[in-house]
Amino acid sequence: MDTSFGNCTHPFLDADGDKLREECGVFGAINAADAAAATALGLHALQHRGQEAAGIIAWDGAEFRARRGLGHVAENFSSQEAIAELPGHMAAGHVRYSTTGGAGLRNVQPLYADLASGGFAVAHNGNISNAGKLRAELVGRGAIFQSTSDTEVIIHLVATSRYPTIVDRLIDALRLLEGAYALIVMTPEGMIACRDPLGIRPLVMGRIGDATLFASESVAFDVVGAEMVREVEPGELIRVDFNGNVDSLHPFGTHKPRPCIFEHVYFSRPDSFFAGRSVYEARKAIGAELAKESLVEADLVVPVPDSGVPAAIGYAQEAGIPFELGIIRSHYVGRTFIQPSDGARHAGVKRKHNANRSLVAGKRIVLIDDSIVRGTTSLQIVEMMRDAGAKEVHFRVASPPTAHSCFYGVDTPERSKLLAARMDLEPMREFIKADSLAFVSIDGLYRAVGEKPRVKSCPQFCDACFTGDYPTSLTDLAAREEKQRQLALPVDQVA
């Protein structure tokens, strides 16, 4: 059995192994004249959420048709021939990062199964943190799994539910889950979209003409010319039929929402809206908070492109220090450069980033990045600035220290590999060789995204990667840690 969490089952972070990645993006359209084409466009706008594989399933009124492939959306769905294979007025799609040791088409979503009630297709963003336990129980009862994805657990739970309708069977299945999920489900009766009770993973609803759309981010609607209607509420299940009827259900009671705050920091595209706020404006505000909390005398504010740009603009405006592109990024470093060796990773940084030498030479630089994960990339960028002649290099981070792993749909290294889990601030500064290092505070981050300071007893966001305060149980993790503890006991222990 796969030993990692998530429907994307532990993909690599990036070419340098040093950047957090949201693992998946979903898009769905019903009552659309060319649903598959709209879905392909929507997935293209969500490409940043998963760049290793893409899939679309469409319903033509008689049968479900699927097309899946490794690589980018454009590599699989840019031709008329590809879209022609997916006729119909309803379609759902998914982008993902591939597995390590398990890459292949069997895990590419949406997943599909023929149930007693008819066809059932599901696209899932998130992680089911008790999927291992549920999977073992299902296998014990005779279930046969075709993938290593935790999404398939949902299909088996729906298939074995005793409730009469497909909606009730889905609700019955979801009640058994812990963790995070944003789902788009297709059946011969229509489309169902739902979000976990805490709203950890994002999902929004839009319209264009008679079509109803769902997506991980609002920017996907911009690309297809649709209007965003609203967010799917935490714990809400929305059902849309082929007559255009839209029903909203709240079968899981009322819970205090805990959406992932890292969507504001990094995951979402800057031109999206999340939790009612422009992502771009939130990132600028985070940079301004950084300047208020950790101002330093400098000549230039330089972003680590591209994710550090909005925060760097906010920092520069608040601090009154010129913003400059002191690092130029190449946008033509493809997946073919991804290699596992340390030498290849180090070379990858130089392939992606190059110092604007004439600008930074002799200057005191404030570098702004969205996060520090392992710290290796930060070290290399600081060294690159010094090699280019920078007089001082001050590193500022637009998030609190990432000291804990995520189990809700984000690719995070083991905690032992997170720099902030191993070191305090000063050792971290020494590790990346900066003249100074500072992170935005957790309360500063909350202020920047339009909230009051963090309420410790009931936080407004899921911020577990910073605080270790996980909003749900982590059954599979607890079982794994207990097994490791038992294996570590001395075998010759005498009672």
Side-chain angles (χ1 to χ4, degrees):
M1 185 194 301
D2 174 44
T3 58
S4 58
F5 286 93
N7 69 77
C8 297
T9 52
H10 202 66
F12 45 79
L13 286 80
D14 64 353
D16 314 310
D18 198 22
K19 183 68 71 175
L20 296 181
R21 295 292 191 191
E22 167 65 81
E23 293 183 349
C24 303
V26 296
F27 187 95
I30 182 171
N31 300 321
D34 200 345
T39 299
L41 285 173
L43 291 180
H44 191 272
L46 300 174
Q47 187 73 85
H48 59 289
R49 299 183 78 91
Q51 299 181 25
E52 291 304 313
I56 296 176
I57 293 181
W59 165 253
D60 65 2
E63 63 179 307
F64 286 93
R65 302 173 188 268
R67 182 181 175 92
R68 303 180 182 90
L70 303 179
H72 288 183
V73 176
E75 296 175 60
N76 293 285
F77 298 103
S78 60
S79 69
Q80 291 183 348
E81 292 78 11
I83 299 301
E85 294 178 10
L86 302 165
H89 289 67
M90 180 173 68
H94 189 272
V95 289
R96 68 189 288 274
Y97 278 93
S98 69
T99 63
T100 55
L105 289 175
R106 67 174 181 160
N107 284 326
V108 179
Q109 294 192 32
L111 297 185
Y112 175 81
D114 282 309
L115 306 184
S117 57
F120 185 92
V122 57
H124 171 208
N125 174 28
N127 280 3
I128 307 306
S129 56
N130 64 336
K133 178 177 182 291
L134 293 172
R135 184 186 182 108
E137 292 173 354
L138 287 162
V139 170
R141 298 203 303 263
I144 300 174
F145 281 76
Q146 301 298 317
S147 74
T148 59
S149 167
D150 64 351
T151 307
E152 193 175 357
V153 169
I154 299 172
I155 294 176
H156 283 277
L157 291 174
V158 172
T160 56
S161 172
R162 295 180 179 273
Y163 281 86
T165 70
I166 193 65
V167 170
D168 286 336
R169 292 166 79 177
L170 177 60
I171 292 170
D172 186 37
L174 297 181
R175 290 188 192 281
L176 299 175
L177 305 183
E178 66 181 38
Y181 55 83
L183 301 178
I184 296 176
V185 172
M186 294 191 299
T187 76
E189 299 174 2
M191 180 170 283
I192 303 168
C194 54
R195 199 172 173 198
D196 67 76
L198 298 180
I200 298 174
R201 299 263 62 82
L203 192 63
V204 291
M205 184 171 98
R207 289 193 66 85
I208 179 170
D210 294 329
T212 300
L213 312 176
F214 298 96
S216 293
E217 292 184 39
S218 62
V219 69
F221 299 152
D222 298 336
V223 172
V224 302
E227 177 185 0
M228 179 172 165
V229 175
R230 62 178 177 86
E231 291 192 5
V232 177
E233 297 174 5
E236 183 181 20
L237 186 148
I238 299 176
R239 177 177 52 189
V240 186
D241 67 20
F242 293 109
N243 294 319
N245 298 311
V246 179
D247 296 324
S248 172
L249 305 173
H250 290 80
F252 308 115
T254 302
H255 301 265
K256 180 70 175 177
R258 295 280 296 273
C260 171
I261 201 167
F262 221 97
E263 293 285 346
H264 279 307
V265 174
Y266 176 75
F267 297 142
S268 292
R269 265 179 48 164
D271 45 346
S272 283
F273 284 79
F274 177 69
R277 185 172 174 85
S278 160
V279 174
Y280 179 79
E281 292 299 330
R283 289 177 187 169
K284 281 182 61 179
I286 295 171
E289 286 290 337
L290 256 178
K292 293 173 185 176
E293 295 179 351
S294 306
L295 187 64
V296 64
E297 291 188 7
D299 303 306
L300 300 175
V301 175
V302 173
V304 177
D306 290 321
S307 57
V309 172
I313 293 173
Y315 188 102
Q317 290 176 348
E318 179 67 28
I321 302 172
F323 168 93
E324 295 286 356
L325 297 180
I327 301 172
I328 306 301
R329 180 184 176 185
S330 169
H331 291 270
Y332 300 98
V333 178
R335 291 174 296 108
T336 54
F337 285 106
I338 295 173
Q339 300 176 34
S341 70
D342 287 340
R345 285 177 177 167
H346 295 170
V349 172
K350 294 184 178 180
R351 280 193 295 267
K352 288 201 302 184
H353 300 112
N354 191 48
N356 193 347
R357 189 175 297 270
S358 64
L359 182 69
V360 304
K363 300 293 197 309
R364 298 170 298 173
I365 306 298
V366 179
L367 282 175
I368 308 288
D369 204 355
D370 62 274
S371 60
I372 292 180
V373 183
R374 300 174 191 264
T376 52
T377 300
S378 303
L379 165 62
Q380 292 156 28
I381 289 176
V382 170
E383 290 179 333
M384 182 173 65
M385 290 289 97
R386 295 201 189 279
D387 291 344
K391 184 178 179 181
E392 296 176 8
V393 182
H394 302 275
F395 211 102
R396 296 293 180 269
V397 186
S399 63
T402 304
H404 303 271
S405 297
C406 175
F407 302 106
Y408 299 123
V410 177
D411 176 26
T412 318
E414 295 176 6
R415 191 174 182 223
S416 62
K417 296 180 180 178
L418 294 170
L419 192 67
R422 299 188 291 114
M423 298 180 183
D424 293 329
L425 185 65
E426 179 58 20
M428 290 176 70
R429 182 200 66 79
E430 293 176 354
F431 179 87
I432 68 171
K433 299 182 179 179
D435 290 283
S436 69
L437 171 65
F439 297 78
V440 73
S441 68
I442 190 71
D443 283 345
L445 178 58
Y446 271 62
R447 285 192 296 269
V449 301
E451 284 286 344
K452 296 177 181 179
R454 182 179 190 268
V455 180
K456 187 175 182 181
S457 60
C458 188
Q460 302 93 308
F461 288 92
C462 177
D463 53 21
C465 55
F466 306 133
T467 64
D469 184 355
Y470 295 97
T472 75
S473 300
L474 299 173
T475 297
D476 291 349
L477 177 66
R480 186 181 310 171
E481 290 178 341
E482 175 61 20
K483 183 177 180 180
Q484 291 173 342
R485 188 191 69 80
Q486 291 175 355
L487 290 173
L489 291 174
V491 295
D492 57 348
Q493 203 171 43
V494 177

